[in-house]
Amino acid sequence: MSRIMVELLIVIVAIAMTVIGLGFMYGWFGSLMGGHADFMISEVQLYYDPDSGNSWGFFKLTNTGSVDIVGITVYIVKYPNGTMPANPVQVSLDANTVPTSSTPLKKGDYIQVKITSLPGVSEVGSITLRFRVEFSGAKPIEREETYRIVSP
């Protein structure tokens, strides 16, 4: 092989390696700078007292992403008797137990959120809730899960 061909081949390989290296570097820095938004709901405890007619509960909200959580809203999408409201019904949360923009939930942190009322709940059974979590500078994420309401 002539010397010119070898030098040309070395230059082409060097350019290809540089392009591949820059792609990995910018991809890695991009994920670090932009972060990712994610959360986990656990330790859900829901109660209904047939004597008083009150419903309440608790759940643990964990920030499993790298973007601060600045809000959460919970909706009922299916009642224990199997009925589904035409529009999701918002659950009442204790304002002192939810993250806000002034008191965000940071990466890896968790908080126990108190449910003060589950509107329209009048029996024990399975209920489907939708959790809408808002993040600082990222799109909100929604998830639906079914839980059991018990009598205390």
Side-chain angles (χ1 to χ4, degrees), residues 1-14:
M1 232 192 214
S2 72
R3 182 177 171 158
I4 294 175
M5 290 293 282
V6 170
E7 289 177 358
L8 183 59
L9 187 59
I10 289 174
V11 169
I12 290 172
V13 169

Side-chain angles (χ1 to χ4, degrees), residues 80-138:
N81 62 9
T83 61
M84 298 174 69
N87 295 311
V89 176
Q90 188 169 344
V91 171
S92 300
L93 303 176
D94 182 349
N96 296 319
T97 65
V98 296
T100 63
S101 56
S102 59
T103 58
L105 193 60
K106 303 282 187 188
K107 173 183 175 180
D109 289 347
Y110 64 89
I111 189 170
Q112 185 179 33
V113 178
K114 181 180 179 185
I115 298 171
T116 57
S117 175
L118 294 159
V121 171
S122 59
E123 61 187 296
V124 297
S126 294
I127 188 169
T128 303
L129 300 176
R130 177 182 299 155
F131 298 90
R132 178 183 169 88
V133 176
E134 296 177 24
F135 297 89
S136 175

Side-chain angles (χ1 to χ4, degrees), residues 57-74:
F58 304 91
F59 64 88
K60 181 176 164 183
L61 171 64
T62 305
N63 186 346
T64 57
S66 58
V67 179
D68 293 350
I69 295 176
V70 295
I72 183 167
T73 311
V74 181

Side-chain angles (χ1 to χ4, degrees), residues 137-150:
K139 292 181 180 179
I141 297 176
E142 291 185 357
R143 293 196 183 124
E144 289 183 11
E145 292 290 332
T146 301
Y147 302 99
R148 183 98 181 126
I149 299 176
V150 297

Side-chain angles (χ1 to χ4, degrees), residues 19-36 66:
V19 168
I20 291 170
L22 287 173
F24 278 114
M25 185 176 75
Y26 282 111
W28 184 68
F29 282 127
S31 68
L32 282 180
M33 293 171 67
H36 79 284
S66 58

